[in-house]
Amino acid sequence: MPFVTTKDGVEIFFKDWGPKDAQPIMFHHGWPLSADDWDTQMLFFLQQGFRVVAHDRRGHGRSAQVSEGHDMDHYAADAFAVAEHLDLKKAVHIGHSTGGGEVARYVAKFGQPAGRVAKAVLVSAVPPLMLKTAENPEGLPIEVFDGFRKGTADNRAQLFLDVAAGPFYGFNREGAKVYEGVVRNWWRQGMMGSAKAHYDGIKAFSETDQTGDLKAIEVPTLVMHGDDDQIVPIADAALKSIKLLKNGTLKVYKGFPHGMLTTHADVINPDLLAFIKA
């Protein structure tokens, strides 16, 4: 079975498709989803001759629903357990939303200078810090995240429907074409996971200051963000991240939502390929 056991005894599920001697691309999913959120990208890059890998974060999808460790340090360590188990070298790490935070921590802590990471991509990603603080006045107030916590605790199933059918994919915008299958698939992935992991994960993605991670990354890094992202506003994410990266490239997508990897895969996938091949 495609599981690896971490140093603290947590079983992490992963997918590993394609030729083992090809350059690997490892995908890191967002909250509260699973590796399945990357299926469109994994099939695309598989057809381009790459080896593609994705895992379910602890407490998410098919990975063990453990009580503890729902923070960026453990997220990155779990990803490293997968990469080490598969002996991935010169890999491209692509993270979406919370997964972007995971990639930033992973690359900063485990990927350099061991040669495990060739490039990194942060898509609609949470770094450097989502929460509004005295030092980060552009961030979102704590009440926003408390609302997510309340929704997760009170009626997680309804919250997940509301998020997927509304701001995540921009389906709440006037004239938007709503894909019911996309909404159901988001809900399905979320409900596979642990309520405890999802609840604790809100703190991880909103309150983790990753300024230091971004400054430590030396590999070429692509930052991709839609300017109509209602989940992770671009002004407090990508526009700040690019200033902290030593070797970063920023691509802004006019009108694209947080879930643009799904709604606009026809645009995003070729741009990812161009960056990887450059």
Side-chain angles (χ1 to χ4, degrees), residues 67-87:
S67 178
E68 306 302 329
H70 306 296
D71 55 69
M72 283 297 175
D73 281 337
H74 282 89
Y75 293 169
D78 294 349
F80 178 66
V82 175
E84 188 177 41
H85 175 72
L86 298 177
D87 195 25

mmCIF file of all heavy atoms in Angstrom, residues 67-87:
data_model
loop_
_atom_site.group_PDB
_atom_site.id
_atom_site.type_symbol
_atom_site.label_atom_id
_atom_site.label_comp_id
_atom_site.label_asym_id
_atom_site.label_seq_id
_atom_site.Cartn_x
_atom_site.Cartn_y
_atom_site.Cartn_z
ATOM 1 N N SER A 67 -4.238 13.017 16.401
ATOM 2 C CA SER A 67 -4.705 14.163 17.166
ATOM 3 C C SER A 67 -3.741 15.337 17.108
ATOM 4 O O SER A 67 -4.168 16.501 17.123
ATOM 5 C CB SER A 67 -4.916 13.754 18.635
ATOM 6 O OG SER A 67 -5.323 14.869 19.413
ATOM 7 N N GLU A 68 -2.437 15.056 17.029
ATOM 8 C CA GLU A 68 -1.437 16.111 17.186
ATOM 9 C C GLU A 68 -0.641 16.336 15.899
ATOM 10 O O GLU A 68 -0.703 15.558 14.961
ATOM 11 C CB GLU A 68 -0.469 15.751 18.323
ATOM 12 C CG GLU A 68 -1.138 15.433 19.648
ATOM 13 C CD GLU A 68 -2.012 16.552 20.177
ATOM 14 O OE1 GLU A 68 -1.698 17.729 19.917
ATOM 15 O OE2 GLU A 68 -3.019 16.248 20.840
ATOM 16 N N GLY A 69 0.123 17.433 15.919
ATOM 17 C CA GLY A 69 1.075 17.689 14.834
ATOM 18 C C GLY A 69 0.516 18.457 13.663
ATOM 19 O O GLY A 69 1.082 18.409 12.565
ATOM 20 N N HIS A 70 -0.570 19.171 13.856
ATOM 21 C CA HIS A 70 -1.178 19.901 12.748
ATOM 22 C C HIS A 70 -0.618 21.325 12.699
ATOM 23 O O HIS A 70 -1.285 22.313 13.039
ATOM 24 C CB HIS A 70 -2.702 19.887 12.888
ATOM 25 C CG HIS A 70 -3.255 18.499 13.029
ATOM 26 N ND1 HIS A 70 -3.145 17.551 12.033
ATOM 27 C CD2 HIS A 70 -3.865 17.873 14.076
ATOM 28 C CE1 HIS A 70 -3.685 16.415 12.445
ATOM 29 N NE2 HIS A 70 -4.123 16.588 13.681
ATOM 30 N N ASP A 71 0.642 21.394 12.262
ATOM 31 C CA ASP A 71 1.361 22.666 12.188
ATOM 32 C C ASP A 71 2.364 22.571 11.042
ATOM 33 O O ASP A 71 2.647 21.482 10.535
ATOM 34 C CB ASP A 71 2.064 22.969 13.513
ATOM 35 C CG ASP A 71 2.981 21.830 13.957
ATOM 36 O OD1 ASP A 71 4.011 21.598 13.301
ATOM 37 O OD2 ASP A 71 2.647 21.149 14.951
ATOM 38 N N MET A 72 2.919 23.707 10.628
ATOM 39 C CA MET A 72 3.789 23.734 9.453
ATOM 40 C C MET A 72 5.036 22.874 9.614
ATOM 41 O O MET A 72 5.504 22.272 8.644
ATOM 42 C CB MET A 72 4.178 25.176 9.111
ATOM 43 C CG MET A 72 3.096 25.971 8.427
ATOM 44 S SD MET A 72 2.618 25.288 6.809
ATOM 45 C CE MET A 72 1.234 26.389 6.414
ATOM 46 N N ASP A 73 5.595 22.802 10.809
ATOM 47 C CA ASP A 73 6.787 21.982 11.007
ATOM 48 C C ASP A 73 6.496 20.511 10.735
ATOM 49 O O ASP A 73 7.270 19.827 10.043
ATOM 50 C CB ASP A 73 7.333 22.151 12.428
ATOM 51 C CG ASP A 73 8.132 23.432 12.600
ATOM 52 O OD1 ASP A 73 8.637 23.969 11.582
ATOM 53 O OD2 ASP A 73 8.245 23.914 13.741
ATOM 54 N N HIS A 74 5.387 20.018 11.262
ATOM 55 C CA HIS A 74 5.032 18.621 11.010
ATOM 56 C C HIS A 74 4.605 18.414 9.554
ATOM 57 O O HIS A 74 4.913 17.370 8.958
ATOM 58 C CB HIS A 74 3.913 18.180 11.963
ATOM 59 C CG HIS A 74 4.390 17.866 13.339
ATOM 60 N ND1 HIS A 74 4.473 18.808 14.331
ATOM 61 C CD2 HIS A 74 4.820 16.697 13.902
ATOM 62 C CE1 HIS A 74 4.927 18.247 15.442
ATOM 63 N NE2 HIS A 74 5.140 16.968 15.211
ATOM 64 N N TYR A 75 3.887 19.377 8.988
ATOM 65 C CA TYR A 75 3.497 19.253 7.577
ATOM 66 C C TYR A 75 4.739 19.073 6.704
ATOM 67 O O TYR A 75 4.787 18.204 5.819
ATOM 68 C CB TYR A 75 2.748 20.502 7.110
ATOM 69 C CG TYR A 75 1.395 20.751 7.735
ATOM 70 C CD1 TYR A 75 0.758 21.982 7.529
ATOM 71 C CD2 TYR A 75 0.738 19.799 8.506
ATOM 72 C CE1 TYR A 75 -0.492 22.243 8.081
ATOM 73 C CE2 TYR A 75 -0.503 20.054 9.061
ATOM 74 C CZ TYR A 75 -1.117 21.287 8.853
ATOM 75 O OH TYR A 75 -2.345 21.560 9.390
ATOM 76 N N ALA A 76 5.738 19.906 6.931
ATOM 77 C CA ALA A 76 6.965 19.824 6.134
ATOM 78 C C ALA A 76 7.717 18.525 6.391
ATOM 79 O O ALA A 76 8.241 17.895 5.461
ATOM 80 C CB ALA A 76 7.858 21.026 6.434
ATOM 81 N N ALA A 77 7.759 18.105 7.659
ATOM 82 C CA ALA A 77 8.440 16.857 7.998
ATOM 83 C C ALA A 77 7.744 15.654 7.364
ATOM 84 O O ALA A 77 8.405 14.700 6.923
ATOM 85 C CB ALA A 77 8.512 16.694 9.513
ATOM 86 N N ASP A 78 6.423 15.681 7.312
ATOM 87 C CA ASP A 78 5.673 14.598 6.663
ATOM 88 C C ASP A 78 5.977 14.536 5.173
ATOM 89 O O ASP A 78 6.137 13.459 4.596
ATOM 90 C CB ASP A 78 4.170 14.784 6.886
ATOM 91 C CG ASP A 78 3.755 14.625 8.349
ATOM 92 O OD1 ASP A 78 4.589 14.169 9.164
ATOM 93 O OD2 ASP A 78 2.603 14.965 8.669
ATOM 94 N N ALA A 79 6.042 15.719 4.548
ATOM 95 C CA ALA A 79 6.389 15.765 3.121
ATOM 96 C C ALA A 79 7.795 15.223 2.900
ATOM 97 O O ALA A 79 8.058 14.504 1.924
ATOM 98 C CB ALA A 79 6.276 17.195 2.599
ATOM 99 N N PHE A 80 8.696 15.559 3.809
ATOM 100 C CA PHE A 80 10.065 15.057 3.707
ATOM 101 C C PHE A 80 10.099 13.540 3.851
ATOM 102 O O PHE A 80 10.883 12.855 3.180
ATOM 103 C CB PHE A 80 10.946 15.708 4.764
ATOM 104 C CG PHE A 80 12.371 15.200 4.751
ATOM 105 C CD1 PHE A 80 13.199 15.456 3.666
ATOM 106 C CD2 PHE A 80 12.873 14.456 5.818
ATOM 107 C CE1 PHE A 80 14.506 14.983 3.652
ATOM 108 C CE2 PHE A 80 14.168 13.985 5.807
ATOM 109 C CZ PHE A 80 14.996 14.246 4.717
ATOM 110 N N ALA A 81 9.250 12.995 4.716
ATOM 111 C CA ALA A 81 9.198 11.540 4.881
ATOM 112 C C ALA A 81 8.837 10.857 3.566
ATOM 113 O O ALA A 81 9.402 9.811 3.216
ATOM 114 C CB ALA A 81 8.191 11.172 5.970
ATOM 115 N N VAL A 82 7.905 11.469 2.828
ATOM 116 C CA VAL A 82 7.522 10.921 1.520
ATOM 117 C C VAL A 82 8.675 11.054 0.534
ATOM 118 O O VAL A 82 9.035 10.100 -0.164
ATOM 119 C CB VAL A 82 6.261 11.627 0.984
ATOM 120 C CG1 VAL A 82 5.932 11.139 -0.425
ATOM 121 C CG2 VAL A 82 5.072 11.385 1.913
ATOM 122 N N ALA A 83 9.268 12.259 0.462
ATOM 123 C CA ALA A 83 10.355 12.502 -0.491
ATOM 124 C C ALA A 83 11.563 11.610 -0.206
ATOM 125 O O ALA A 83 12.213 11.096 -1.125
ATOM 126 C CB ALA A 83 10.758 13.976 -0.443
ATOM 127 N N GLU A 84 11.857 11.420 1.073
ATOM 128 C CA GLU A 84 12.987 10.572 1.461
ATOM 129 C C GLU A 84 12.700 9.111 1.141
ATOM 130 O O GLU A 84 13.575 8.383 0.627
ATOM 131 C CB GLU A 84 13.258 10.751 2.952
ATOM 132 C CG GLU A 84 14.526 10.076 3.440
ATOM 133 C CD GLU A 84 14.794 10.353 4.906
ATOM 134 O OE1 GLU A 84 13.825 10.338 5.709
ATOM 135 O OE2 GLU A 84 15.957 10.576 5.252
ATOM 136 N N HIS A 85 11.482 8.667 1.418
ATOM 137 C CA HIS A 85 11.084 7.281 1.132
ATOM 138 C C HIS A 85 11.194 6.974 -0.355
ATOM 139 O O HIS A 85 11.648 5.890 -0.745
ATOM 140 C CB HIS A 85 9.658 7.059 1.621
ATOM 141 C CG HIS A 85 9.085 5.723 1.280
ATOM 142 N ND1 HIS A 85 9.487 4.557 1.880
ATOM 143 C CD2 HIS A 85 8.122 5.371 0.367
ATOM 144 C CE1 HIS A 85 8.811 3.529 1.371
ATOM 145 N NE2 HIS A 85 7.981 4.003 0.453
ATOM 146 N N LEU A 86 10.803 7.935 -1.188
ATOM 147 C CA LEU A 86 10.836 7.745 -2.642
ATOM 148 C C LEU A 86 12.168 8.179 -3.251
ATOM 149 O O LEU A 86 12.358 8.046 -4.464
ATOM 150 C CB LEU A 86 9.685 8.530 -3.288
ATOM 151 C CG LEU A 86 8.272 8.107 -2.887
ATOM 152 C CD1 LEU A 86 7.242 9.015 -3.544
ATOM 153 C CD2 LEU A 86 8.012 6.651 -3.263
ATOM 154 N N ASP A 87 13.052 8.706 -2.413
ATOM 155 C CA ASP A 87 14.373 9.188 -2.839
ATOM 156 C C ASP A 87 14.255 10.199 -3.988
ATOM 157 O O ASP A 87 14.944 10.100 -5.003
ATOM 158 C CB ASP A 87 15.263 8.013 -3.257
ATOM 159 C CG ASP A 87 16.744 8.413 -3.345
ATOM 160 O OD1 ASP A 87 17.137 9.382 -2.657
ATOM 161 O OD2 ASP A 87 17.483 7.781 -4.123
#
